[in-house]
Amino acid sequence: MISTRKLISHLKSLPSVKGLAYAGGKSKGYFDKHSDIDLIVLIDGGNPKTFFDKYVHTLDIDVSPHPHLFSELKVIPIRTSSDDLDFKIITVKEYSNIAKTPSGDLFIAYTKDIKIIYDPDGILKTAKYKKVDEKSSKEALKWIIALLRAEQMMEVLIERDDHVHINNAFSQIIVQTVKIVYILNKKPFLSTKWSTRDIAKMKIKPSNFDEELRILTLLGNSPDEVKTKVKIIQKVSNELYALIQKIDPSIDKVKEYAGWRY
C-alpha cells in the first residue's frame, strides 16, 4: 500500500500536476488524532476523473468514493480507505474560479485555506485569500439587529410553542454572532468547523465570549435553558454593538429596527 508521502512524491513527478497543498485541519494547525488529511491536487487541464483513472487509480492505493462524489462534479474528491486521506483533484481554471468566490461553503473553505506543498508556477499562492472586503463587511455587521431582537423573537416562538423554529433560530444566532466576531477581527469566515479554535486566538470580542459561546452551544431548549441563552445573547449582543460602533458609528441607524414586531 502506497503511503501518503510516496503518493505526494508520485504526484509531484507528473507534468500535469501544477500544485499540491494540505487543506482543512492540517493547513490550519488544528490537526489531531481525529483528523483526516485533506490534499488539494491541482492539474493543468482536462477532466479530473480522467486524471484520477490514469494516474491515481492504477497505484497501489485503496480508495473509495467520497460521499459527495458524483460524476458531473468539476472537482473530484476521493477518500483512501486505509490512510484517512481525502484528496481533491481540481483543474487550474476551476480552482481560480473558486478562489474568487466569497462563500462559506466547506469545500471552498478547503480550497482557500491551504498550506502549500508544491507550487512551481505560483498558482496556489496567487489564488489564496484576498483581503476581507471592507464594504461588504460593514453591511454584514448590520445583522447585529437579529441578535438585538433575540428576546422578542423567542417570546413569540415560545408562545407559539414552535420548538423546531426555536432550535433553528438559536443556531442561526450563534453562527451570526461568530461571523460578526470574525469581521471585527478582519478574518474571513469560511466555516464553523474551526471557529472555536479560531475565536480563541482573536482579540476583538465580547468579554468571556469563548465560555459564553460554549454555554450557548451546549444548552438545550427547555424554558429555563431558553431564558439563560437569551440572557447570554443579550449581553453578547450589547457588547458586540458597542464594538461595532467604534468602527462604524452609522450602525446606530439600524438599532431603531430592533423593536420591530417579529
Side-chain angles (χ1 to χ4, degrees):
M1 179 76 61
I2 190 171
S3 66
T4 300
R5 181 178 58 81
K6 287 184 178 180
L7 173 62
I8 289 173
S9 179
H10 168 70
L11 292 171
K12 280 183 179 180
S13 72
L14 300 175
S16 56
V17 172
K18 296 301 179 182
L20 297 168
Y22 288 127
K26 188 81 170 174
S27 69
K28 293 180 71 66
Y30 299 152
F31 192 81
D32 59 28
K33 65 181 181 179
H34 304 293
S35 304
D36 59 8
I37 299 171
D38 294 285
L39 180 68
I40 302 295
V41 181
L42 194 65
I43 60 174
D44 61 357
N47 184 288
K49 188 175 186 303
T50 301
F51 174 88
F52 171 76
D53 290 338
K54 185 175 180 180
Y55 295 113
V56 182
H57 200 53
T58 54
L59 297 174
D60 181 20
I61 182 170
D62 185 17
V63 300
S64 59
H66 187 284
H68 300 298
L69 177 59
F70 301 98
S71 60
E72 69 271 16
L73 284 183
K74 295 179 181 178
V75 181
I76 302 296
I78 305 290
R79 173 180 284 271
T80 61
S81 302
S82 56
D83 203 19
D84 289 330
L85 172 68
D86 262 344
F87 55 102
K88 297 169 176 66
I89 305 168
I90 179 170
T91 64
V92 170
K93 181 180 179 180
E94 190 62 25
Y95 183 86
S96 297
N97 290 337
I98 289 175
K100 297 173 186 175
T101 305
S103 172
D105 178 83
L106 191 54
F107 178 72
I108 292 175
Y110 280 144
T111 52
K112 282 187 171 184
D113 199 6
I114 58 175
K115 181 178 180 181
I116 296 170
I117 304 169
Y118 175 67
D119 191 25
D121 301 322
I123 297 169
L124 291 170
K125 185 178 180 180
T126 50
K128 286 188 75 174
Y129 293 131
K130 296 175 176 60
K131 288 184 179 179
V132 176
D133 180 66
E134 189 172 334
K135 184 179 179 181
S136 61
S137 293
K138 281 189 174 182
E139 287 298 311
L141 288 175
K142 292 178 182 178
W143 281 104
I144 186 67
I145 190 70
L147 279 63
L148 294 170
R149 296 176 64 198
E151 181 179 19
Q152 180 191 23
M153 176 174 63
M154 287 303 161
E155 286 177 355
V156 172
L157 296 181
I158 289 169
E159 189 172 331
R160 291 174 177 169
D161 198 25
D162 195 348
H163 296 293
V164 173
H165 197 167
I166 287 172
N167 187 69
N168 183 59
F170 274 127
S171 296
Q172 291 183 11
I173 287 170
I174 289 169
V175 172
Q176 196 59 51
T177 302
V178 168
K179 286 182 178 179
I180 289 173
V181 172
Y182 270 77
I183 293 170
L184 289 171
N185 286 272
K186 297 184 177 180
K187 301 291 184 183
F189 175 81
L190 295 171
S191 167
T192 57
K193 185 173 182 179
W194 306 287
S195 57
T196 299
R197 285 171 284 191
D198 281 348
I199 287 170
K201 299 176 183 178
M202 294 179 185
K203 294 182 179 179
I204 304 173
K205 55 189 174 183
S207 60
N208 202 32
F209 182 65
D210 299 56
E211 179 58 23
E212 288 176 335
L213 186 61
R214 179 177 177 275
I215 292 170
L216 283 174
T217 58
L218 293 178
L219 284 174
N221 292 321
S222 68
D224 287 342
E225 288 173 309
V226 167
K227 288 179 183 177
T228 300
K229 288 200 284 190
V230 168
K231 186 175 180 181
I232 292 172
I233 291 168
Q234 284 180 308
K235 181 260 185 188
V236 167
S237 301
N238 288 329
E239 290 190 31
L240 281 175
Y241 187 82
L243 290 170
I244 295 170
Q245 277 183 312
K246 291 180 181 180
I247 61 172
D248 183 14
S250 69
I251 196 69
D252 288 339
K253 295 177 182 178
V254 306
K255 194 170 185 181
E256 63 183 273
Y257 300 111
W260 276 23
R261 187 179 183 85
Y262 176 70

Coordinates of all heavy atoms in Angstrom, one line a residue, residues 59-134:
L59 N -2.5 3.1 -9.0 CA -1.5 2.9 -8.0 C -2.0 1.9 -7.0 O -3.1 1.5 -6.9 CB -1.3 4.3 -7.2 CG -0.7 5.4 -8.0 CD1 -0.7 6.7 -7.2 CD2 0.7 5.1 -8.5
D60 N -1.0 1.4 -6.1 CA -1.3 0.5 -5.0 C -1.9 1.3 -3.9 O -1.3 1.6 -2.9 CB -0.1 -0.2 -4.6 CG -0.4 -1.2 -3.5 OD1 -1.6 -1.6 -3.3 OD2 0.6 -1.6 -2.7
I61 N -3.2 1.8 -4.1 CA -3.8 2.6 -3.1 C -5.3 2.2 -3.0 O -5.9 2.1 -4.1 CB -3.6 4.1 -3.4 CG1 -4.2 5.0 -2.4 CG2 -4.1 4.4 -4.8 CD1 -3.8 6.5 -2.6
D62 N -5.8 2.0 -1.9 CA -7.1 1.5 -1.7 C -8.0 2.8 -1.5 O -8.0 3.5 -0.5 CB -7.2 0.6 -0.4 CG -8.6 0.1 -0.3 OD1 -9.4 0.1 -1.2 OD2 -8.9 -0.4 0.9
V63 N -8.8 3.0 -2.5 CA -9.7 4.2 -2.5 C -11.2 3.9 -2.5 O -11.5 2.8 -2.9 CB -9.4 5.2 -3.7 CG1 -8.0 5.6 -3.7 CG2 -9.7 4.5 -5.0
S64 N -12.0 4.8 -2.0 CA -13.4 4.6 -2.0 C -14.0 5.9 -2.4 O -13.5 7.0 -2.1 CB -13.9 4.1 -0.7 OG -13.6 5.0 0.3
P65 N -15.2 5.9 -3.0 CA -15.8 7.2 -3.4 C -16.1 8.0 -2.1 O -16.5 7.5 -1.1 CB -17.1 6.8 -4.1 CG -16.8 5.4 -4.6 CD -15.9 4.8 -3.5
H66 N -15.8 9.3 -2.2 CA -16.2 10.2 -1.2 C -17.7 10.3 -1.2 O -18.3 10.2 -2.2 CB -15.5 11.6 -1.5 CG -15.7 12.6 -0.4 ND1 -16.9 13.3 -0.2 CD2 -14.8 13.1 0.5 CE1 -16.7 14.1 0.8 NE2 -15.4 14.0 1.2
P67 N -18.3 10.6 0.0 CA -19.8 10.7 0.0 C -20.3 11.7 -1.0 O -21.5 11.6 -1.4 CB -20.1 11.1 1.4 CG -18.9 10.5 2.2 CD -17.7 10.6 1.3
H68 N -19.6 12.7 -1.3 CA -20.1 13.8 -2.2 C -19.6 13.6 -3.6 O -19.6 14.5 -4.4 CB -19.6 15.2 -1.7 CG -20.1 15.5 -0.3 ND1 -21.4 15.6 0.0 CD2 -19.4 15.7 0.9 CE1 -21.5 15.8 1.3 NE2 -20.3 15.9 1.8
L69 N -19.1 12.4 -4.0 CA -18.6 12.2 -5.3 C -19.7 11.9 -6.3 O -20.5 10.9 -6.2 CB -17.6 11.0 -5.3 CG -17.0 10.6 -6.7 CD1 -16.3 11.8 -7.3 CD2 -16.1 9.5 -6.6
F70 N -19.9 12.7 -7.3 CA -20.8 12.5 -8.4 C -20.1 12.7 -9.7 O -19.1 13.5 -9.8 CB -22.0 13.5 -8.3 CG -22.8 13.4 -7.0 CD1 -22.5 14.3 -6.0 CD2 -23.7 12.4 -6.9 CE1 -23.2 14.2 -4.8 CE2 -24.4 12.3 -5.7 CZ -24.2 13.2 -4.7
S71 N -20.5 12.0 -10.7 CA -19.7 12.0 -12.0 C -19.7 13.4 -12.6 O -18.8 13.7 -13.4 CB -20.4 11.0 -13.0 OG -21.7 11.3 -13.2
E72 N -20.7 14.2 -12.3 CA -20.7 15.5 -13.0 C -19.9 16.6 -12.3 O -19.8 17.7 -12.8 CB -22.2 16.0 -13.2 CG -22.9 16.4 -11.9 CD -23.6 15.2 -11.2 OE1 -23.3 14.1 -11.6 OE2 -24.4 15.5 -10.3
L73 N -19.3 16.3 -11.2 CA -18.5 17.3 -10.5 C -17.3 17.7 -11.2 O -16.6 16.9 -11.8 CB -18.1 16.7 -9.1 CG -19.1 16.6 -8.0 CD1 -18.5 16.1 -6.7 CD2 -19.7 18.0 -7.7
K74 N -17.0 19.0 -11.2 CA -15.8 19.5 -11.8 C -14.6 19.3 -10.9 O -13.4 19.4 -11.3 CB -15.9 21.0 -12.0 CG -17.0 21.4 -13.1 CD -17.1 22.9 -13.3 CE -18.2 23.2 -14.3 NZ -18.4 24.6 -14.5
V75 N -14.9 19.0 -9.6 CA -13.8 18.7 -8.6 C -14.1 17.3 -8.1 O -15.2 17.0 -7.7 CB -13.9 19.7 -7.4 CG1 -12.8 19.4 -6.4 CG2 -13.8 21.1 -7.9
I76 N -13.1 16.5 -8.2 CA -13.2 15.1 -7.8 C -12.6 14.8 -6.5 O -11.4 14.9 -6.3 CB -12.5 14.1 -8.9 CG1 -13.1 14.4 -10.3 CG2 -12.7 12.7 -8.5 CD1 -14.6 14.0 -10.4
P77 N -13.5 14.6 -5.4 CA -13.0 14.3 -4.1 C -12.9 12.7 -3.9 O -13.9 12.1 -4.1 CB -14.0 14.9 -3.2 CG -15.2 15.1 -4.0 CD -14.9 14.8 -5.4
I78 N -11.8 12.2 -3.5 CA -11.6 10.8 -3.3 C -11.1 10.5 -1.9 O -10.2 11.3 -1.4 CB -10.6 10.1 -4.3 CG1 -11.1 10.5 -5.7 CG2 -10.5 8.7 -4.1 CD1 -12.3 9.7 -6.2
R79 N -11.5 9.5 -1.2 CA -11.0 9.2 0.1 C -10.3 7.8 0.1 O -10.9 6.8 -0.5 CB -12.1 9.1 1.1 CG -11.7 8.6 2.5 CD -12.9 8.6 3.5 NE -13.2 9.9 3.9 CZ -12.6 10.4 5.0 NH1 -11.7 9.8 5.7 NH2 -12.9 11.7 5.4
T80 N -9.1 7.7 0.6 CA -8.5 6.5 0.7 C -9.1 5.7 1.9 O -9.4 6.3 2.9 CB -6.9 6.6 1.0 OG1 -6.7 7.3 2.2 CG2 -6.3 7.3 -0.2
S81 N -9.2 4.4 1.8 CA -9.9 3.6 2.8 C -9.0 3.4 4.0 O -9.6 3.2 5.1 CB -10.3 2.3 2.2 OG -11.1 2.4 1.1
S82 N -7.7 3.4 3.9 CA -6.9 2.9 5.0 C -6.0 4.0 5.6 O -5.5 3.9 6.7 CB -6.0 1.8 4.5 OG -5.2 2.2 3.4
D83 N -5.8 5.1 4.9 CA -4.8 6.1 5.3 C -5.5 7.4 5.7 O -4.8 8.4 6.0 CB -3.8 6.4 4.2 CG -2.5 7.0 4.7 OD1 -2.3 6.8 5.9 OD2 -1.8 7.5 3.9
D84 N -6.8 7.5 5.8 CA -7.6 8.7 6.2 C -7.1 9.9 5.4 O -6.8 11.0 5.9 CB -7.4 9.0 7.7 CG -8.2 8.0 8.5 OD1 -9.2 7.5 8.0 OD2 -7.7 7.7 9.6
L85 N -7.0 9.7 4.1 CA -6.5 10.8 3.2 C -7.7 11.1 2.2 O -8.2 10.3 1.5 CB -5.3 10.3 2.4 CG -4.9 11.3 1.3 CD1 -4.3 12.6 1.8 CD2 -3.8 10.6 0.4
D86 N -8.1 12.4 2.3 CA -9.0 12.9 1.3 C -8.3 13.7 0.3 O -7.6 14.7 0.7 CB -10.0 13.9 2.0 CG -11.3 13.2 2.3 OD1 -11.6 12.1 1.8 OD2 -12.1 13.7 3.1
F87 N -8.3 13.3 -1.0 CA -7.6 14.2 -1.9 C -8.6 14.7 -3.0 O -9.5 13.9 -3.4 CB -6.4 13.6 -2.5 CG -6.5 12.3 -3.2 CD1 -6.6 12.2 -4.6 CD2 -6.5 11.1 -2.4 CE1 -6.7 10.9 -5.2 CE2 -6.6 9.9 -3.0 CZ -6.7 9.8 -4.4
K88 N -8.5 15.9 -3.3 CA -9.5 16.6 -4.2 C -8.7 17.1 -5.4 O -7.8 17.9 -5.4 CB -10.1 17.8 -3.4 CG -10.9 17.3 -2.2 CD -11.3 18.4 -1.3 CE -12.2 17.9 -0.2 NZ -11.5 17.0 0.7
I89 N -9.1 16.5 -6.6 CA -8.5 16.8 -7.8 C -9.3 17.9 -8.5 O -10.5 17.8 -8.7 CB -8.4 15.6 -8.7 CG1 -7.8 14.4 -8.0 CG2 -7.7 15.9 -10.0 CD1 -7.9 13.1 -8.7
I90 N -8.6 19.0 -8.9 CA -9.2 20.2 -9.5 C -8.3 20.8 -10.5 O -7.1 20.9 -10.4 CB -9.6 21.2 -8.3 CG1 -10.3 22.4 -8.9 CG2 -8.3 21.6 -7.5 CD1 -10.8 23.3 -7.8
T91 N -8.9 21.3 -11.6 CA -8.2 22.0 -12.6 C -7.8 23.4 -12.2 O -8.4 24.0 -11.3 CB -9.0 22.1 -13.9 OG1 -10.1 22.9 -13.7 CG2 -9.4 20.7 -14.4
V92 N -6.7 23.9 -12.8 CA -6.3 25.3 -12.5 C -7.4 26.3 -12.8 O -7.6 27.2 -12.0 CB -5.0 25.6 -13.4 CG1 -4.7 27.1 -13.3 CG2 -3.8 24.8 -13.0
K93 N -8.1 26.1 -13.9 CA -9.2 27.0 -14.2 C -10.3 27.0 -13.1 O -10.7 28.1 -12.7 CB -9.8 26.7 -15.5 CG -10.9 27.6 -16.0 CD -11.5 27.2 -17.4 CE -12.6 28.1 -17.8 NZ -13.2 27.8 -19.1
E94 N -10.7 25.8 -12.7 CA -11.8 25.7 -11.7 C -11.3 26.2 -10.4 O -12.1 26.9 -9.6 CB -12.2 24.3 -11.6 CG -13.5 24.1 -10.8 CD -14.7 24.8 -11.4 OE1 -14.7 25.0 -12.6 OE2 -15.6 25.1 -10.6
Y95 N -10.1 26.0 -10.0 CA -9.5 26.5 -8.8 C -9.5 28.0 -8.7 O -9.9 28.6 -7.7 CB -8.1 25.9 -8.5 CG -7.5 26.4 -7.2 CD1 -7.8 25.6 -6.1 CD2 -6.8 27.6 -7.1 CE1 -7.3 26.0 -4.8 CE2 -6.3 28.0 -5.9 CZ -6.5 27.2 -4.7 OH -6.1 27.6 -3.5
S96 N -9.1 28.6 -9.8 CA -9.1 30.1 -9.9 C -10.5 30.6 -9.7 O -10.7 31.7 -9.1 CB -8.5 30.5 -11.3 OG -7.2 30.1 -11.4
N97 N -11.5 30.0 -10.3 CA -12.9 30.4 -10.2 C -13.3 30.3 -8.7 O -14.0 31.2 -8.2 CB -13.8 29.6 -11.0 CG -13.6 29.9 -12.5 OD1 -13.2 30.9 -12.9 ND2 -14.0 28.9 -13.4
I98 N -13.0 29.2 -8.1 CA -13.4 29.0 -6.7 C -12.7 30.0 -5.8 O -13.3 30.5 -4.8 CB -13.1 27.6 -6.2 CG1 -14.0 26.6 -6.9 CG2 -13.2 27.4 -4.7 CD1 -13.7 25.1 -6.6
A99 N -11.4 30.3 -6.0 CA -10.7 31.2 -5.2 C -11.3 32.6 -5.2 O -11.1 33.4 -4.3 CB -9.2 31.3 -5.7
K100 N -12.1 33.0 -6.2 CA -12.7 34.3 -6.3 C -14.1 34.3 -5.7 O -14.7 35.3 -5.6 CB -12.8 34.7 -7.8 CG -11.5 34.8 -8.5 CD -11.8 35.1 -10.0 CE -10.5 35.1 -10.8 NZ -10.7 35.2 -12.2
T101 N -14.5 33.1 -5.2 CA -15.9 33.0 -4.7 C -16.0 33.3 -3.2 O -15.4 32.6 -2.4 CB -16.5 31.6 -5.0 OG1 -16.3 31.3 -6.4 CG2 -17.9 31.5 -4.6
P102 N -16.7 34.4 -2.8 CA -16.9 34.6 -1.4 C -18.0 33.8 -0.8 O -19.2 34.1 -1.0 CB -17.3 36.1 -1.4 CG -18.0 36.3 -2.7 CD -17.4 35.4 -3.6
S103 N -17.7 32.7 -0.2 CA -18.7 31.7 0.3 C -18.2 31.0 1.5 O -17.0 30.8 1.7 CB -19.0 30.7 -0.8 OG -19.9 29.7 -0.3
G104 N -19.2 30.6 2.3 CA -18.8 29.8 3.5 C -18.9 28.3 3.2 O -18.8 27.5 4.1
D105 N -19.1 28.0 1.9 CA -19.1 26.5 1.5 C -17.9 25.8 2.0 O -16.8 26.3 1.9 CB -19.3 26.4 0.0 CG -19.3 25.0 -0.4 OD1 -20.3 24.4 -0.4 OD2 -18.2 24.5 -0.8
L106 N -18.1 24.6 2.6 CA -16.9 23.9 3.2 C -15.9 23.5 2.2 O -14.7 23.6 2.5 CB -17.4 22.7 4.0 CG -16.4 22.0 4.9 CD1 -15.9 23.0 5.9 CD2 -17.1 20.8 5.6
F107 N -16.3 23.1 1.0 CA -15.2 22.8 0.0 C -14.4 24.0 -0.4 O -13.2 24.0 -0.5 CB -15.8 22.2 -1.2 CG -14.7 21.9 -2.2 CD1 -13.8 20.9 -2.0 CD2 -14.5 22.7 -3.3 CE1 -12.8 20.6 -2.8 CE2 -13.5 22.4 -4.2 CZ -12.6 21.4 -4.0
I108 N -15.1 25.2 -0.5 CA -14.4 26.4 -0.8 C -13.5 26.8 0.3 O -12.4 27.2 0.2 CB -15.4 27.5 -1.1 CG1 -16.1 27.2 -2.5 CG2 -14.7 28.9 -1.2 CD1 -17.2 28.2 -2.8
A109 N -13.9 26.5 1.6 CA -13.0 26.7 2.7 C -11.8 25.9 2.6 O -10.7 26.3 2.8 CB -13.8 26.3 4.0
Y110 N -11.9 24.6 2.2 CA -10.8 23.7 2.0 C -9.8 24.3 0.9 O -8.6 24.2 1.1 CB -11.2 22.3 1.6 CG -11.7 21.5 2.7 CD1 -12.8 20.6 2.5 CD2 -11.2 21.5 4.0 CE1 -13.3 19.8 3.5 CE2 -11.6 20.7 5.0 CZ -12.7 19.9 4.8 OH -13.2 19.1 5.8
T111 N -10.4 24.7 -0.2 CA -9.5 25.1 -1.3 C -8.9 26.5 -1.1 O -7.9 26.8 -1.8 CB -10.3 25.1 -2.6 OG1 -11.5 25.9 -2.5 CG2 -10.7 23.7 -3.0
K112 N -9.4 27.3 -0.2 CA -8.8 28.6 0.0 C -7.8 28.6 1.2 O -6.8 29.3 1.1 CB -9.9 29.6 0.3 CG -10.7 30.1 -0.9 CD -11.6 31.2 -0.5 CE -12.2 31.9 -1.7 NZ -13.0 33.1 -1.4
D113 N -8.2 27.9 2.2 CA -7.3 27.9 3.4 C -6.3 26.8 3.4 O -6.6 25.7 3.9 CB -8.2 27.8 4.7 CG -7.5 28.3 5.9 OD1 -6.4 28.8 5.8 OD2 -8.1 28.2 7.0
I114 N -5.2 27.0 2.8 CA -4.3 25.9 2.4 C -2.9 26.1 2.9 O -2.5 27.2 3.2 CB -4.2 25.7 0.9 CG1 -3.8 27.0 0.2 CG2 -5.6 25.2 0.3 CD1 -3.6 26.9 -1.3
K115 N -2.2 25.0 3.0 CA -0.7 25.0 3.3 C 0.0 24.4 2.1 O -0.2 23.2 1.8 CB -0.4 24.2 4.6 CG 1.1 24.2 4.9 CD 1.3 23.4 6.2 CE 2.8 23.4 6.6 NZ 3.0 22.6 7.8
I116 N 0.7 25.2 1.3 CA 1.2 24.8 0.1 C 2.4 23.8 0.2 O 3.3 24.1 1.0 CB 1.7 26.0 -0.8 CG1 0.4 26.9 -1.1 CG2 2.4 25.6 -2.0 CD1 0.8 28.3 -1.7
I117 N 2.3 22.7 -0.5 CA 3.4 21.7 -0.5 C 4.3 21.9 -1.8 O 5.5 21.8 -1.7 CB 2.8 20.3 -0.5 CG1 1.9 20.1 0.7 CG2 3.9 19.3 -0.5 CD1 1.1 18.8 0.6
Y118 N 3.6 22.1 -2.9 CA 4.2 22.1 -4.2 C 3.5 23.1 -5.1 O 2.3 23.0 -5.3 CB 4.2 20.7 -4.8 CG 4.7 20.6 -6.2 CD1 6.1 20.7 -6.5 CD2 3.9 20.2 -7.2 CE1 6.6 20.6 -7.8 CE2 4.3 20.1 -8.5 CZ 5.7 20.3 -8.8 OH 6.2 20.1 -10.1
D119 N 4.2 24.1 -5.6 CA 3.6 25.2 -6.3 C 4.6 25.8 -7.3 O 5.0 27.0 -7.1 CB 3.0 26.3 -5.4 CG 2.1 27.3 -6.0 OD1 1.5 27.0 -7.1 OD2 2.0 28.4 -5.5
P120 N 5.0 25.0 -8.3 CA 6.2 25.5 -9.1 C 5.9 26.8 -9.9 O 6.8 27.6 -10.2 CB 6.4 24.3 -10.1 CG 5.1 23.6 -10.1 CD 4.5 23.7 -8.7
D121 N 4.6 27.0 -10.2 CA 4.3 28.2 -11.0 C 3.6 29.3 -10.2 O 3.1 30.3 -10.7 CB 3.4 27.8 -12.2 CG 4.0 26.8 -13.1 OD1 5.2 26.9 -13.4 OD2 3.3 25.9 -13.6
G122 N 3.5 29.1 -8.9 CA 2.9 30.1 -8.0 C 1.4 30.3 -8.2 O 0.8 31.3 -7.7
I123 N 0.7 29.3 -8.7 CA -0.7 29.4 -8.9 C -1.5 29.4 -7.6 O -2.4 30.2 -7.4 CB -1.2 28.2 -9.8 CG1 -0.5 28.3 -11.2 CG2 -2.7 28.3 -10.0 CD1 -0.7 27.1 -12.1
L124 N -1.1 28.5 -6.7 CA -1.8 28.4 -5.4 C -1.6 29.6 -4.6 O -2.5 30.1 -3.9 CB -1.3 27.1 -4.7 CG -1.7 25.8 -5.3 CD1 -0.9 24.7 -4.6 CD2 -3.2 25.6 -5.2
K125 N -0.4 30.1 -4.7 CA 0.0 31.3 -3.9 C -0.9 32.5 -4.3 O -1.4 33.3 -3.4 CB 1.4 31.7 -4.0 CG 1.9 32.8 -3.1 CD 3.4 33.1 -3.3 CE 3.8 34.2 -2.4 NZ 5.3 34.5 -2.6
T126 N -1.0 32.7 -5.6 CA -1.7 33.9 -6.1 C -3.3 33.8 -5.9 O -4.0 34.7 -5.9 CB -1.5 34.2 -7.6 OG1 -1.7 33.0 -8.3 CG2 -0.1 34.7 -7.8
A127 N -3.7 32.5 -5.7 CA -5.2 32.3 -5.6 C -5.6 32.3 -4.2 O -6.8 32.1 -3.9 CB -5.6 31.0 -6.3
K128 N -4.7 32.4 -3.2 CA -5.1 32.4 -1.8 C -5.9 33.7 -1.5 O -6.1 34.6 -2.3 CB -3.9 32.3 -0.9 CG -3.3 30.9 -0.9 CD -2.2 30.7 0.1 CE -2.8 30.6 1.5 NZ -1.8 30.3 2.5
Y129 N -6.3 33.8 -0.2 CA -7.2 34.9 0.2 C -6.8 36.3 -0.3 O -5.6 36.6 -0.2 CB -7.2 35.0 1.7 CG -7.8 33.8 2.4 CD1 -7.1 33.2 3.5 CD2 -9.0 33.3 2.1 CE1 -7.7 32.2 4.2 CE2 -9.6 32.3 2.7 CZ -8.9 31.7 3.8 OH -9.5 30.7 4.4
K130 N -7.7 37.0 -0.7 CA -7.5 38.4 -0.8 C -8.1 39.1 0.5 O -8.7 38.4 1.3 CB -8.3 38.9 -2.0 CG -7.8 38.3 -3.3 CD -8.7 38.8 -4.5 CE -8.1 38.2 -5.8 NZ -8.0 36.8 -5.9
K131 N -7.8 40.3 0.7 CA -8.2 41.0 1.9 C -9.7 41.0 2.1 O -10.4 41.0 1.1 CB -7.7 42.4 1.9 CG -6.2 42.6 2.1 CD -5.8 44.0 2.2 CE -4.3 44.2 2.5 NZ -3.9 45.6 2.6
V132 N -10.1 40.9 3.3 CA -11.6 41.0 3.5 C -12.1 42.3 3.0 O -11.6 43.4 3.3 CB -11.8 40.8 5.1 CG1 -13.3 40.9 5.4 CG2 -11.3 39.5 5.6
D133 N -13.2 42.2 2.2 CA -13.8 43.4 1.7 C -14.4 44.2 2.7 O -15.4 43.8 3.4 CB -14.8 43.0 0.6 CG -15.4 44.2 -0.1 OD1 -14.7 44.9 -0.7 OD2 -16.6 44.4 0.1
E134 N -14.0 45.5 2.9 CA -14.4 46.3 4.0 C -15.9 46.7 3.8 O -16.7 46.8 4.8 CB -13.6 47.6 4.1 CG -13.8 48.4 5.3 CD -12.8 49.6 5.5 OE1 -11.7 49.4 5.0 OE2 -13.2 50.6 6.1

